[in-house]
Short mmCIF file of all heavy atoms in Angstrom, two decimals:
data_model
loop_
_atom_site.label_atom_id
_atom_site.label_comp_id
_atom_site.label_asym_id
_atom_site.label_seq_id
_atom_site.Cartn_x
_atom_site.Cartn_y
_atom_site.Cartn_z
N ILE A 1 13.86 -2.09 -5.96
CA ILE A 1 12.43 -1.82 -5.96
C ILE A 1 11.89 -2.28 -4.61
O ILE A 1 12.08 -3.44 -4.23
CB ILE A 1 11.71 -2.58 -7.09
CG1 ILE A 1 12.23 -2.12 -8.44
CG2 ILE A 1 10.21 -2.41 -6.97
CD1 ILE A 1 11.73 -2.93 -9.60
N GLY A 2 11.23 -1.38 -3.90
CA GLY A 2 10.66 -1.74 -2.61
C GLY A 2 9.57 -2.79 -2.77
O GLY A 2 8.73 -2.71 -3.65
N GLY A 3 9.57 -3.79 -1.92
CA GLY A 3 8.55 -4.82 -1.97
C GLY A 3 8.76 -5.89 -3.02
O GLY A 3 7.90 -6.73 -3.25
N TYR A 4 9.94 -5.89 -3.67
CA TYR A 4 10.19 -6.83 -4.77
C TYR A 4 10.06 -8.28 -4.33
O TYR A 4 9.58 -9.11 -5.09
CB TYR A 4 11.57 -6.57 -5.37
CG TYR A 4 11.90 -7.45 -6.54
CD1 TYR A 4 11.33 -7.22 -7.78
CD2 TYR A 4 12.77 -8.52 -6.39
CE1 TYR A 4 11.62 -8.03 -8.85
CE2 TYR A 4 13.08 -9.34 -7.46
CZ TYR A 4 12.50 -9.09 -8.69
OH TYR A 4 12.79 -9.89 -9.75
N PHE A 5 10.48 -8.58 -3.12
CA PHE A 5 10.45 -9.97 -2.67
C PHE A 5 9.19 -10.32 -1.87
O PHE A 5 9.10 -11.38 -1.29
CB PHE A 5 11.70 -10.28 -1.85
CG PHE A 5 12.94 -10.26 -2.69
CD1 PHE A 5 13.83 -9.21 -2.61
CD2 PHE A 5 13.20 -11.28 -3.59
CE1 PHE A 5 14.97 -9.18 -3.39
CE2 PHE A 5 14.33 -11.26 -4.38
CZ PHE A 5 15.22 -10.21 -4.28
N ASN A 6 8.21 -9.43 -1.82
CA ASN A 6 6.94 -9.73 -1.17
C ASN A 6 6.04 -10.44 -2.17
O ASN A 6 5.73 -9.89 -3.21
CB ASN A 6 6.24 -8.45 -0.69
CG ASN A 6 7.04 -7.72 0.37
OD1 ASN A 6 7.96 -8.28 0.94
ND2 ASN A 6 6.67 -6.50 0.64
N PHE A 7 5.63 -11.66 -1.86
CA PHE A 7 4.85 -12.44 -2.81
C PHE A 7 3.40 -12.59 -2.38
O PHE A 7 2.70 -13.46 -2.88
CB PHE A 7 5.49 -13.82 -3.00
CG PHE A 7 6.87 -13.73 -3.58
CD1 PHE A 7 7.98 -13.98 -2.80
CD2 PHE A 7 7.05 -13.38 -4.91
CE1 PHE A 7 9.25 -13.90 -3.33
CE2 PHE A 7 8.31 -13.29 -5.46
CZ PHE A 7 9.42 -13.55 -4.66
N GLY A 8 2.92 -11.74 -1.49
CA GLY A 8 1.55 -11.86 -1.01
C GLY A 8 0.58 -10.92 -1.71
O GLY A 8 -0.54 -10.73 -1.24
N GLY A 9 0.99 -10.33 -2.83
CA GLY A 9 0.14 -9.38 -3.54
C GLY A 9 -1.19 -9.97 -3.98
O GLY A 9 -2.23 -9.33 -3.86
N LEU A 10 -1.17 -11.19 -4.47
CA LEU A 10 -2.41 -11.83 -4.92
C LEU A 10 -3.36 -12.04 -3.74
O LEU A 10 -4.56 -11.78 -3.84
CB LEU A 10 -2.11 -13.15 -5.62
CG LEU A 10 -3.30 -13.85 -6.25
CD1 LEU A 10 -4.01 -12.94 -7.25
CD2 LEU A 10 -2.86 -15.13 -6.93
N LEU A 11 -2.82 -12.49 -2.62
CA LEU A 11 -3.64 -12.67 -1.41
C LEU A 11 -4.26 -11.34 -0.99
O LEU A 11 -5.45 -11.28 -0.66
CB LEU A 11 -2.81 -13.24 -0.26
CG LEU A 11 -3.51 -13.28 1.10
CD1 LEU A 11 -4.70 -14.22 1.06
CD2 LEU A 11 -2.53 -13.68 2.18
N GLN A 12 -3.47 -10.27 -1.02
CA GLN A 12 -4.00 -8.97 -0.63
C GLN A 12 -5.12 -8.53 -1.57
O GLN A 12 -6.16 -8.04 -1.13
CB GLN A 12 -2.91 -7.91 -0.60
CG GLN A 12 -3.45 -6.57 -0.15
CD GLN A 12 -2.37 -5.52 0.02
OE1 GLN A 12 -1.19 -5.81 0.08
NE2 GLN A 12 -2.80 -4.28 0.11
N LEU A 13 -4.95 -8.72 -2.87
CA LEU A 13 -6.00 -8.35 -3.83
C LEU A 13 -7.28 -9.15 -3.60
O LEU A 13 -8.38 -8.61 -3.68
CB LEU A 13 -5.50 -8.54 -5.26
CG LEU A 13 -4.43 -7.55 -5.71
CD1 LEU A 13 -3.86 -7.98 -7.06
CD2 LEU A 13 -4.99 -6.15 -5.78
N VAL A 14 -7.13 -10.43 -3.28
CA VAL A 14 -8.31 -11.27 -2.99
C VAL A 14 -9.01 -10.76 -1.74
O VAL A 14 -10.24 -10.63 -1.71
CB VAL A 14 -7.90 -12.76 -2.83
CG1 VAL A 14 -9.04 -13.58 -2.25
CG2 VAL A 14 -7.46 -13.32 -4.16
N GLU A 15 -8.25 -10.46 -0.70
CA GLU A 15 -8.86 -9.96 0.54
C GLU A 15 -9.53 -8.60 0.32
O GLU A 15 -10.58 -8.33 0.89
CB GLU A 15 -7.81 -9.87 1.65
CG GLU A 15 -7.30 -11.22 2.13
CD GLU A 15 -8.41 -12.10 2.66
OE1 GLU A 15 -9.29 -11.61 3.39
OE2 GLU A 15 -8.39 -13.31 2.35
N MET A 16 -8.94 -7.76 -0.52
CA MET A 16 -9.57 -6.48 -0.84
C MET A 16 -10.90 -6.71 -1.56
O MET A 16 -11.89 -6.04 -1.29
CB MET A 16 -8.63 -5.64 -1.71
CG MET A 16 -7.43 -5.10 -0.96
SD MET A 16 -6.09 -4.48 -2.02
CE MET A 16 -6.91 -3.16 -2.92
N GLY A 17 -10.92 -7.67 -2.47
CA GLY A 17 -12.14 -7.99 -3.21
C GLY A 17 -13.23 -8.62 -2.35
O GLY A 17 -14.41 -8.43 -2.60
N ARG A 18 -12.84 -9.37 -1.34
CA ARG A 18 -13.80 -10.02 -0.44
C ARG A 18 -14.39 -9.08 0.61
O ARG A 18 -15.38 -9.41 1.25
CB ARG A 18 -13.12 -11.16 0.31
CG ARG A 18 -12.84 -12.36 -0.51
CD ARG A 18 -12.22 -13.43 0.35
NE ARG A 18 -11.97 -14.64 -0.42
CZ ARG A 18 -11.22 -15.64 0.00
NH1 ARG A 18 -10.64 -15.57 1.18
NH2 ARG A 18 -11.03 -16.68 -0.75
N SER A 19 -13.77 -7.94 0.81
CA SER A 19 -14.21 -7.06 1.89
C SER A 19 -15.65 -6.60 1.67
O SER A 19 -16.09 -6.36 0.56
CB SER A 19 -13.27 -5.86 2.01
OG SER A 19 -13.32 -5.07 0.84
N LYS A 20 -16.37 -6.50 2.77
CA LYS A 20 -17.79 -6.12 2.74
C LYS A 20 -18.02 -4.70 3.25
O LYS A 20 -19.11 -4.18 3.15
CB LYS A 20 -18.62 -7.09 3.59
CG LYS A 20 -18.53 -8.53 3.14
CD LYS A 20 -19.19 -8.72 1.80
CE LYS A 20 -19.15 -10.20 1.42
NZ LYS A 20 -19.49 -10.42 0.03
N ASN A 21 -16.98 -4.10 3.86
CA ASN A 21 -17.11 -2.73 4.37
C ASN A 21 -15.73 -2.09 4.45
O ASN A 21 -14.72 -2.74 4.16
CB ASN A 21 -17.80 -2.73 5.74
CG ASN A 21 -17.10 -3.62 6.74
OD1 ASN A 21 -15.88 -3.64 6.83
ND2 ASN A 21 -17.88 -4.38 7.50
N LEU A 22 -15.70 -0.82 4.81
CA LEU A 22 -14.44 -0.08 4.85
C LEU A 22 -13.46 -0.69 5.86
O LEU A 22 -12.26 -0.77 5.58
CB LEU A 22 -14.71 1.40 5.19
CG LEU A 22 -13.48 2.31 5.25
CD1 LEU A 22 -12.73 2.30 3.93
CD2 LEU A 22 -13.89 3.72 5.63
N GLU A 23 -13.96 -1.15 6.99
CA GLU A 23 -13.08 -1.74 8.01
C GLU A 23 -12.31 -2.94 7.48
O GLU A 23 -11.10 -3.05 7.67
CB GLU A 23 -13.92 -2.17 9.22
CG GLU A 23 -13.60 -1.42 10.47
CD GLU A 23 -14.48 -1.88 11.62
OE1 GLU A 23 -14.61 -3.10 11.84
OE2 GLU A 23 -15.04 -1.00 12.28
N THR A 24 -13.01 -3.86 6.83
CA THR A 24 -12.34 -5.06 6.33
C THR A 24 -11.45 -4.73 5.13
O THR A 24 -10.43 -5.37 4.91
CB THR A 24 -13.35 -6.16 5.96
OG1 THR A 24 -14.29 -5.66 5.02
CG2 THR A 24 -14.06 -6.67 7.19
N PHE A 25 -11.82 -3.71 4.36
CA PHE A 25 -10.99 -3.29 3.24
C PHE A 25 -9.67 -2.71 3.76
O PHE A 25 -8.60 -3.06 3.27
CB PHE A 25 -11.72 -2.24 2.40
CG PHE A 25 -11.01 -1.87 1.14
CD1 PHE A 25 -11.10 -2.67 0.02
CD2 PHE A 25 -10.24 -0.72 1.08
CE1 PHE A 25 -10.44 -2.34 -1.15
CE2 PHE A 25 -9.57 -0.37 -0.08
CZ PHE A 25 -9.67 -1.18 -1.20
N GLN A 26 -9.75 -1.86 4.77
CA GLN A 26 -8.53 -1.30 5.35
C GLN A 26 -7.68 -2.38 6.01
O GLN A 26 -6.45 -2.32 5.97
CB GLN A 26 -8.88 -0.20 6.34
CG GLN A 26 -9.39 1.05 5.65
CD GLN A 26 -9.83 2.12 6.62
OE1 GLN A 26 -10.44 1.85 7.65
NE2 GLN A 26 -9.57 3.37 6.27
N ALA A 27 -8.32 -3.39 6.59
CA ALA A 27 -7.58 -4.50 7.18
C ALA A 27 -6.79 -5.25 6.10
O ALA A 27 -5.66 -5.66 6.33
CB ALA A 27 -8.52 -5.45 7.91
N ALA A 28 -7.38 -5.40 4.92
CA ALA A 28 -6.69 -6.07 3.82
C ALA A 28 -5.47 -5.26 3.38
O ALA A 28 -4.43 -5.82 3.00
CB ALA A 28 -7.63 -6.28 2.64
N LEU A 29 -5.56 -3.95 3.47
CA LEU A 29 -4.43 -3.10 3.07
C LEU A 29 -3.25 -3.22 4.04
O LEU A 29 -2.11 -2.95 3.66
CB LEU A 29 -4.86 -1.64 2.97
CG LEU A 29 -5.82 -1.30 1.84
CD1 LEU A 29 -6.19 0.17 1.88
CD2 LEU A 29 -5.24 -1.66 0.48
N THR A 30 -3.52 -3.63 5.27
CA THR A 30 -2.43 -3.74 6.25
C THR A 30 -1.46 -4.87 5.91
O THR A 30 -0.38 -4.94 6.48
CB THR A 30 -2.96 -3.93 7.68
OG1 THR A 30 -3.67 -5.18 7.76
CG2 THR A 30 -3.86 -2.79 8.10
N LEU A 31 -1.83 -5.73 4.97
CA LEU A 31 -0.90 -6.78 4.54
C LEU A 31 0.33 -6.18 3.85
O LEU A 31 1.40 -6.77 3.85
CB LEU A 31 -1.60 -7.76 3.59
CG LEU A 31 -2.74 -8.57 4.19
CD1 LEU A 31 -3.47 -9.35 3.12
CD2 LEU A 31 -2.22 -9.49 5.27
N GLN A 32 0.17 -5.02 3.23
CA GLN A 32 1.25 -4.27 2.59
C GLN A 32 2.10 -5.14 1.66
O GLN A 32 3.32 -5.18 1.75
CB GLN A 32 2.14 -3.60 3.63
CG GLN A 32 1.41 -2.58 4.46
CD GLN A 32 2.30 -1.91 5.48
OE1 GLN A 32 3.41 -2.36 5.76
NE2 GLN A 32 1.82 -0.83 6.04
N GLN A 33 1.43 -5.83 0.75
CA GLN A 33 2.14 -6.73 -0.17
C GLN A 33 2.19 -6.21 -1.60
O GLN A 33 2.87 -6.78 -2.43
CB GLN A 33 1.48 -8.11 -0.15
CG GLN A 33 1.60 -8.81 1.17
CD GLN A 33 3.03 -9.11 1.52
OE1 GLN A 33 3.75 -9.76 0.76
NE2 GLN A 33 3.48 -8.62 2.65
N ILE A 34 1.47 -5.13 -1.91
CA ILE A 34 1.47 -4.59 -3.25
C ILE A 34 2.48 -3.44 -3.29
O ILE A 34 2.31 -2.45 -2.59
CB ILE A 34 0.06 -4.10 -3.65
CG1 ILE A 34 -0.92 -5.27 -3.56
CG2 ILE A 34 0.07 -3.51 -5.04
CD1 ILE A 34 -2.36 -4.88 -3.79
N PRO A 35 3.55 -3.57 -4.09
CA PRO A 35 4.62 -2.58 -4.05
C PRO A 35 4.19 -1.15 -4.41
O PRO A 35 4.65 -0.21 -3.81
CB PRO A 35 5.63 -3.10 -5.09
CG PRO A 35 5.32 -4.52 -5.25
CD PRO A 35 3.87 -4.68 -4.96
N CYS A 36 3.33 -0.97 -5.38
CA CYS A 36 3.00 0.38 -5.81
C CYS A 36 1.61 0.39 -6.44
O CYS A 36 1.41 -0.19 -7.50
CB CYS A 36 4.04 0.86 -6.82
SG CYS A 36 3.81 2.55 -7.32
N PHE A 37 0.67 1.01 -5.76
CA PHE A 37 -0.71 0.91 -6.23
C PHE A 37 -1.53 2.05 -5.65
O PHE A 37 -1.51 2.29 -4.45
CB PHE A 37 -1.30 -0.41 -5.74
CG PHE A 37 -2.23 -1.08 -6.69
CD1 PHE A 37 -1.78 -2.04 -7.58
CD2 PHE A 37 -3.58 -0.76 -6.69
CE1 PHE A 37 -2.66 -2.68 -8.43
CE2 PHE A 37 -4.46 -1.38 -7.54
CZ PHE A 37 -3.99 -2.34 -8.42
N ASN A 38 -2.26 2.78 -6.48
CA ASN A 38 -3.27 3.72 -5.99
C ASN A 38 -4.53 2.91 -5.72
O ASN A 38 -4.98 2.16 -6.58
CB ASN A 38 -3.59 4.80 -7.02
CG ASN A 38 -2.55 5.87 -7.05
OD1 ASN A 38 -2.23 6.44 -6.02
ND2 ASN A 38 -2.01 6.16 -8.22
N VAL A 39 -5.09 3.04 -4.54
CA VAL A 39 -6.27 2.28 -4.16
C VAL A 39 -7.40 3.24 -3.86
O VAL A 39 -7.23 4.19 -3.08
CB VAL A 39 -5.99 1.40 -2.92
CG1 VAL A 39 -7.23 0.65 -2.48
CG2 VAL A 39 -4.86 0.43 -3.21
N ILE A 40 -8.55 3.00 -4.47
CA ILE A 40 -9.74 3.81 -4.22
C ILE A 40 -10.87 2.87 -3.82
O ILE A 40 -11.07 1.82 -4.43
CB ILE A 40 -10.13 4.62 -5.48
CG1 ILE A 40 -8.99 5.55 -5.86
CG2 ILE A 40 -11.42 5.39 -5.24
CD1 ILE A 40 -9.17 6.24 -7.18
N TYR A 41 -11.59 3.25 -2.78
CA TYR A 41 -12.69 2.43 -2.25
C TYR A 41 -13.92 3.31 -2.11
O TYR A 41 -13.83 4.47 -1.71
CB TYR A 41 -12.29 1.86 -0.88
CG TYR A 41 -13.42 1.20 -0.14
CD1 TYR A 41 -13.69 -0.14 -0.31
CD2 TYR A 41 -14.24 1.93 0.73
CE1 TYR A 41 -14.73 -0.75 0.37
CE2 TYR A 41 -15.28 1.33 1.41
CZ TYR A 41 -15.52 -0.01 1.23
OH TYR A 41 -16.55 -0.61 1.89
N GLY A 42 -15.06 2.77 -2.44
CA GLY A 42 -16.33 3.45 -2.20
C GLY A 42 -17.40 2.40 -1.96
O GLY A 42 -17.33 1.30 -2.50
N ASP A 43 -18.37 2.73 -1.12
CA ASP A 43 -19.44 1.76 -0.86
C ASP A 43 -20.79 2.46 -0.76
O ASP A 43 -20.88 3.69 -0.79
CB ASP A 43 -19.14 0.92 0.39
CG ASP A 43 -19.02 1.74 1.66
OD1 ASP A 43 -19.57 2.85 1.73
OD2 ASP A 43 -18.38 1.25 2.61
N ALA A 44 -21.84 1.65 -0.64
CA ALA A 44 -23.20 2.17 -0.59
C ALA A 44 -23.48 2.98 0.67
O ALA A 44 -24.40 3.79 0.69
CB ALA A 44 -24.20 1.01 -0.69
N ALA A 45 -22.65 2.80 1.69
CA ALA A 45 -22.83 3.55 2.93
C ALA A 45 -22.28 4.96 2.83
O ALA A 45 -22.40 5.75 3.76
CB ALA A 45 -22.15 2.81 4.09
N GLY A 46 -21.67 5.29 1.68
CA GLY A 46 -21.16 6.64 1.47
C GLY A 46 -19.70 6.82 1.85
O GLY A 46 -19.19 7.93 1.81
N ASN A 47 -19.02 5.74 2.19
CA ASN A 47 -17.59 5.83 2.52
C ASN A 47 -16.77 5.95 1.24
O ASN A 47 -17.00 5.22 0.27
CB ASN A 47 -17.13 4.58 3.28
CG ASN A 47 -17.78 4.47 4.62
OD1 ASN A 47 -17.73 5.39 5.42
ND2 ASN A 47 -18.43 3.34 4.87
N ILE A 48 -15.83 6.87 1.23
CA ILE A 48 -14.89 7.02 0.13
C ILE A 48 -13.50 7.05 0.74
O ILE A 48 -13.24 7.73 1.73
CB ILE A 48 -15.16 8.32 -0.66
CG1 ILE A 48 -16.56 8.27 -1.26
CG2 ILE A 48 -14.10 8.51 -1.74
CD1 ILE A 48 -16.97 9.56 -1.93
N PHE A 49 -12.60 6.29 0.14
CA PHE A 49 -11.26 6.13 0.71
C PHE A 49 -10.25 6.07 -0.43
O PHE A 49 -10.47 5.41 -1.43
CB PHE A 49 -11.24 4.84 1.53
CG PHE A 49 -9.91 4.47 2.11
CD1 PHE A 49 -9.39 5.16 3.19
CD2 PHE A 49 -9.19 3.42 1.59
CE1 PHE A 49 -8.17 4.80 3.75
CE2 PHE A 49 -7.97 3.05 2.14
CZ PHE A 49 -7.46 3.75 3.21
N HIS A 50 -9.13 6.77 -0.28
CA HIS A 50 -8.05 6.71 -1.26
C HIS A 50 -6.73 6.62 -0.52
O HIS A 50 -6.51 7.29 0.48
CB HIS A 50 -8.05 7.97 -2.14
CG HIS A 50 -6.84 8.04 -3.04
ND1 HIS A 50 -5.75 8.79 -2.72
CD2 HIS A 50 -6.57 7.43 -4.21
CE1 HIS A 50 -4.84 8.66 -3.68
NE2 HIS A 50 -5.31 7.84 -4.59
N VAL A 51 -5.85 5.78 -1.03
CA VAL A 51 -4.51 5.68 -0.45
C VAL A 51 -3.53 5.35 -1.57
O VAL A 51 -3.85 4.62 -2.50
CB VAL A 51 -4.44 4.62 0.67
CG1 VAL A 51 -4.66 3.22 0.16
CG2 VAL A 51 -3.13 4.70 1.43
N TYR A 52 -2.35 5.95 -1.49
CA TYR A 52 -1.24 5.54 -2.35
C TYR A 52 -0.42 4.58 -1.52
O TYR A 52 0.22 4.98 -0.55
CB TYR A 52 -0.40 6.72 -2.80
CG TYR A 52 0.83 6.27 -3.55
CD1 TYR A 52 0.73 5.83 -4.87
CD2 TYR A 52 2.07 6.25 -2.94
CE1 TYR A 52 1.83 5.39 -5.55
CE2 TYR A 52 3.19 5.80 -3.62
CZ TYR A 52 3.06 5.38 -4.92
OH TYR A 52 4.16 4.93 -5.60
N GLY A 53 -0.48 3.32 -1.84
CA GLY A 53 0.16 2.30 -1.01
C GLY A 53 1.51 1.88 -1.52
O GLY A 53 1.75 0.70 -1.71
N GLY A 54 2.39 2.81 -1.75
CA GLY A 54 3.70 2.48 -2.27
C GLY A 54 4.66 2.00 -1.20
O GLY A 54 4.62 2.44 -0.07
N ILE A 55 5.52 1.08 -1.57
CA ILE A 55 6.60 0.63 -0.71
C ILE A 55 7.89 1.14 -1.34
O ILE A 55 8.17 0.84 -2.49
CB ILE A 55 6.64 -0.91 -0.60
CG1 ILE A 55 5.35 -1.44 0.00
CG2 ILE A 55 7.84 -1.36 0.22
CD1 ILE A 55 5.25 -2.96 -0.03
N ALA A 56 8.62 1.92 -0.62
CA ALA A 56 9.88 2.47 -1.14
C ALA A 56 11.04 1.95 -0.33
O ALA A 56 10.95 1.81 0.89
CB ALA A 56 9.85 3.99 -1.09
N GLY A 57 12.12 1.69 -1.00
CA GLY A 57 13.33 1.24 -0.31
C GLY A 57 13.92 2.36 0.53
O GLY A 57 13.74 3.54 0.24
N VAL A 58 14.63 2.01 1.58
CA VAL A 58 15.27 2.98 2.45
C VAL A 58 16.70 3.18 1.97
O VAL A 58 17.45 2.22 1.82
CB VAL A 58 15.26 2.50 3.92
CG1 VAL A 58 15.99 3.48 4.82
CG2 VAL A 58 13.84 2.29 4.39
N ARG A 59 17.04 4.43 1.71
CA ARG A 59 18.39 4.74 1.21
C ARG A 59 18.98 5.88 2.01
O ARG A 59 18.28 6.77 2.48
CB ARG A 59 18.32 5.15 -0.25
CG ARG A 59 17.83 4.05 -1.16
CD ARG A 59 17.88 4.52 -2.61
NE ARG A 59 17.40 3.49 -3.48
CZ ARG A 59 16.15 3.37 -3.89
NH1 ARG A 59 15.25 4.23 -3.49
NH2 ARG A 59 15.78 2.40 -4.68
N ASP A 60 20.28 5.89 2.12
CA ASP A 60 20.98 7.02 2.73
C ASP A 60 21.05 8.13 1.69
O ASP A 60 21.24 7.89 0.50
CB ASP A 60 22.40 6.63 3.14
CG ASP A 60 22.40 5.63 4.30
OD1 ASP A 60 21.46 5.70 5.12
OD2 ASP A 60 23.33 4.81 4.36
N LEU A 61 20.91 9.38 2.15
CA LEU A 61 21.02 10.53 1.25
C LEU A 61 22.50 10.75 0.89
O LEU A 61 23.37 10.62 1.76
CB LEU A 61 20.47 11.79 1.91
CG LEU A 61 18.98 11.87 2.09
CD1 LEU A 61 18.62 13.12 2.87
CD2 LEU A 61 18.27 11.87 0.75
N PRO A 62 22.77 11.12 -0.37
CA PRO A 62 24.15 11.46 -0.72
C PRO A 62 24.61 12.64 0.10
O PRO A 62 23.83 13.51 0.47
CB PRO A 62 24.05 11.84 -2.20
CG PRO A 62 22.78 11.23 -2.68
CD PRO A 62 21.86 11.17 -1.50
N GLU A 63 25.90 12.68 0.41
CA GLU A 63 26.48 13.74 1.25
C GLU A 63 26.13 15.13 0.74
O GLU A 63 25.85 16.04 1.50
CB GLU A 63 28.01 13.56 1.28
CG GLU A 63 28.70 14.41 2.31
CD GLU A 63 28.45 13.95 3.73
OE1 GLU A 63 28.28 12.74 3.96
OE2 GLU A 63 28.44 14.80 4.63
N MET A 64 26.09 15.33 -0.59
CA MET A 64 25.84 16.66 -1.16
C MET A 64 24.41 17.14 -0.92
O MET A 64 24.12 18.32 -1.05
CB MET A 64 26.15 16.68 -2.66
CG MET A 64 25.25 15.81 -3.47
SD MET A 64 25.76 15.85 -5.19
CE MET A 64 24.41 14.98 -5.93
N MET A 65 23.49 16.23 -0.56
CA MET A 65 22.10 16.62 -0.34
C MET A 65 21.82 16.99 1.11
O MET A 65 20.74 17.46 1.43
CB MET A 65 21.16 15.49 -0.78
CG MET A 65 21.19 15.23 -2.27
SD MET A 65 20.06 13.94 -2.75
CE MET A 65 18.50 14.75 -2.53
N ILE A 66 22.76 16.77 2.00
CA ILE A 66 22.57 17.05 3.42
C ILE A 66 23.14 18.43 3.71
O ILE A 66 24.33 18.68 3.50
CB ILE A 66 23.24 15.99 4.30
CG1 ILE A 66 22.65 14.61 3.98
CG2 ILE A 66 23.09 16.33 5.77
CD1 ILE A 66 23.34 13.45 4.65
N LYS A 67 22.28 19.33 4.18
CA LYS A 67 22.72 20.68 4.52
C LYS A 67 22.85 20.79 6.04
O LYS A 67 21.94 20.45 6.77
CB LYS A 67 21.72 21.72 4.02
CG LYS A 67 21.63 21.77 2.52
CD LYS A 67 20.71 22.87 2.08
CE LYS A 67 20.65 22.90 0.56
NZ LYS A 67 19.79 23.96 0.07
N PRO A 68 24.00 21.27 6.51
CA PRO A 68 24.16 21.41 7.96
C PRO A 68 23.21 22.46 8.53
O PRO A 68 22.84 23.41 7.87
CB PRO A 68 25.61 21.87 8.12
CG PRO A 68 26.18 22.07 6.77
CD PRO A 68 25.15 21.68 5.76
N GLY A 69 22.82 22.25 9.78
CA GLY A 69 22.03 23.24 10.48
C GLY A 69 20.63 22.89 10.55
O GLY A 69 19.70 23.30 11.00
#
């Protein structure tokens, strides 16, 4: 599971909750500590933001899935 050993998820959620505008909310997302989460943001200034913040492990493709050319 990607992000399994990242233990900063609670800190990231707190920082997301403390944010006062889109800039600080996006800054909180740069911590990248939540393994799999749809995030939606909206504020009184009319900003709407959505991101799927998933962390996926890096794997090699099986030989049968690689097509030459």
Side-chain angles (χ1 to χ4, degrees):
I1 298 172
Y4 182 75
F5 293 105
N6 296 346
F7 298 107
L10 186 56
L11 172 64
Q12 182 175 345
L13 290 171
V14 168
E15 292 301 318
M16 288 165 61
R18 287 182 178 167
S19 64
K20 301 292 183 193
N21 55 42
L22 181 59
E23 244 179 49
T24 56
F25 187 81
Q26 288 176 321
L29 292 179
T30 64
L31 296 172
Q32 297 181 347
Q33 295 296 304
I34 301 174
C36 185
F37 217 94
N38 281 308
V39 177
I40 300 171
Y41 170 89
D43 61 23
N47 295 306
I48 298 174
F49 176 74
H50 172 262
V51 66
Y52 173 76
I55 298 173
V58 177
R59 296 183 181 93
D60 292 329
L61 289 175
E63 191 71 32
M64 65 183 189
M65 294 181 72
I66 301 172
K67 294 184 180 181

